[in-house]
Amino acid sequence: MVKSESTTEEILQDTFLKIWHNRTSIDLDKSFRSYLFRIAENKVYDFFRKATRDKKIRVQLFAAATEEYEHIETMIHRKENALLLQKAIDSLSPQRQQIFRSIKLDNKSYEEVSRQLGISVSTISDHIVKANKTIREFIFTHNDMTIILFCLLFSICK
């Protein structure tokens, strides 16, 4: 039933051990052979139940390990992408950097940044357009698709 000689020997050993432990309570008026086969059958069922449980645990552990690996890999890519994006932003003029960070990274509106810096909304818009172009060119010269996808998330490669 188990198709493994070593497993069969183990089940056989467990069967005889169970008989030995229960030797004082065995009813001699009933068939010993039936009693022996019932114990062996139950041991085989126990083996398959345990194998199923072990398989489920292995699948869960593998899934968790794979998920953690992908999570770490994603985190490393994000850090690398953030570093390259930071270099691209650093290549901008100081005022353009400030405007870009306020709008794209801090999610401020054009009007908020305009009031904060005391310049017109159209000037803010011009700075954002030019910053997007500069960052897009910087990223495309590095030719890394993950960076390009990262930029799309921040809507600077449009």
Side-chain angles (χ1 to χ4, degrees):
M1 289 175 74
V2 294
K3 297 187 180 10
S4 164
E5 190 174 330
S6 63
T7 304
T8 302
E9 289 173 4
E10 195 174 312
I11 291 173
L12 182 63
Q13 186 70 28
D14 287 346
T15 301
F16 283 112
L17 209 76
K18 180 149 179 128
I19 291 170
W20 180 254
H21 287 297
N22 295 333
R23 69 186 180 276
T24 57
S25 62
I26 295 175
D27 187 358
L28 299 175
D29 294 333
K30 293 186 179 175
S31 169
F32 180 75
R33 182 182 175 160
S34 297
Y35 179 72
L36 176 68
F37 281 109
R38 175 59 64 195
I39 291 173
E41 185 179 39
N42 288 338
K43 290 292 179 185
V44 169
Y45 290 146
D46 290 347
F47 168 78
F48 283 120
R49 276 193 289 272
K50 184 181 182 306
T52 302
R53 243 187 347 263
D54 289 351
K55 183 178 179 183
K56 286 179 185 177
I57 290 171
R58 276 195 308 274
V59 166
Q60 289 172 346
L61 287 174
F62 180 76
T66 304
E67 182 179 311
E68 281 303 311
Y69 175 77
E70 289 174 358
H71 179 69
I72 290 169
E73 189 175 294
T74 302
M75 185 178 67
I76 290 170
H77 282 295
R78 281 188 185 146
K79 283 184 180 181
E80 290 172 353
N81 295 345
L83 241 141
L84 192 58
L85 181 60
Q86 185 60 47
K87 286 180 184 177
I89 293 170
D90 289 345
S91 72
L92 302 172
S93 69
Q95 185 177 24
R96 199 161 282 164
Q97 281 182 37
Q98 182 181 12
I99 292 170
F100 181 85
R101 283 192 174 103
S102 296
I103 300 227
K104 294 294 185 176
L105 303 178
D106 298 337
N107 293 320
K108 292 184 178 178
S109 70
Y110 283 41
E111 290 79 20
E112 285 179 280
V113 177
S114 171
R115 282 192 307 271
Q116 180 184 353
L117 298 178
I119 54 179
S120 72
V121 173
S122 62
T123 304
I124 298 291
S125 177
D126 183 58
H127 277 293
I128 291 297
V129 168
K130 289 177 180 172
N132 282 342
K133 183 178 183 220
T134 302
I135 291 171
R136 182 175 42 247
E137 287 170 0
F138 184 91
I139 289 170
F140 281 113
T141 58
H142 284 79
N143 203 18
D144 188 345
M145 286 306 293
T146 57
I147 303 300
I148 294 167
L149 293 173
F150 184 76
C151 281
L152 290 172
L153 293 175
F154 283 102
S155 302
I156 60 174
C157 294
K158 291 182 180 176

